[in-house]
Amino acid sequence: MKADTVVGDTSGKSIEEIVTIASKLQEELSRLTNQLTFIEMVAEVTTVVPLTPDLTVSLQKKLSRLTGKNVLLKTFIDESILGGMVIRMGDKVLDFSIRSRLDKLREKFVSDKGLGSDDGNS
């Protein structure tokens, strides 16, 4: 991306204004570099629909508090989970998907009622 796309048209601006813009860009670059430098864990978050920016920030903060590490979110879309979300962090999986809940209910229903057999006596 070209610098003039980021800062806008600098023609007609004084040197002081351009220096101020450059200083702000440098501060933002430093902030982003520091943020990326301190990432200690990546969380892959799968949802049915894209997360809103507010939810993304909130989830990132909660996962950072939970793990005690700076977490970077990578988001994925998968309609097969039906709803909710699946979070993968390293070798841990937090499955809050509707698909998972339905599968667990199905397993419980079949095991509790003995409906898995087809002997006709159920």
Side-chain angles (χ1 to χ4, degrees):
M1 182 178 294
K2 294 169 52 178
D4 61 349
T5 305
V6 175
V7 298
D9 184 12
T10 56
S11 62
K13 295 198 184 292
S14 69
I15 295 295
E16 291 82 15
E17 290 172 311
I18 293 172
V19 168
T20 300
I21 291 170
S23 175
K24 288 180 182 178
L25 282 173
Q26 183 179 11
E27 288 172 17
E28 181 64 9
L29 180 60
S30 293
R31 186 188 69 76
L32 290 172
T33 300
N34 287 338
Q35 184 179 6
L36 290 174
T37 302
F38 295 109
I39 291 172
E40 299 174 44
M41 179 173 282
V42 174
E44 296 178 351
V45 179
T46 303
T47 56
V48 173
V49 296
L51 296 174
T52 64
D54 288 343
L55 186 55
T56 300
V57 169
S58 175
L59 181 60
Q60 190 250 347
K61 286 180 181 179
K62 286 179 183 177
L63 291 174
S64 291
R65 279 195 309 267
L66 177 71
T67 62
K69 299 179 179 185
N70 290 317
V71 175
L72 171 70
L73 294 186
K74 287 188 176 183
T75 58
F76 301 92
I77 304 298
D78 182 356
E79 293 177 2
S80 74
I81 68 169
L82 302 177
M85 68 178 60
V86 178
I87 303 169
R88 288 181 180 80
M89 295 184 296
D91 60 350
K92 302 217 182 326
V93 177
L94 304 171
D95 191 341
F96 304 108
S97 69
I98 300 296
R99 166 66 65 199
S100 174
R101 291 179 185 179
L102 288 173
D103 288 345
K104 288 175 186 172
L105 277 173
R106 184 180 307 112
E107 289 172 20
K108 181 169 176 42
F109 185 71
V110 170
S111 67
D112 285 353
K113 300 297 182 184
L115 297 177
S117 64
D118 36 326
D119 60 5
N121 294 330
S122 300

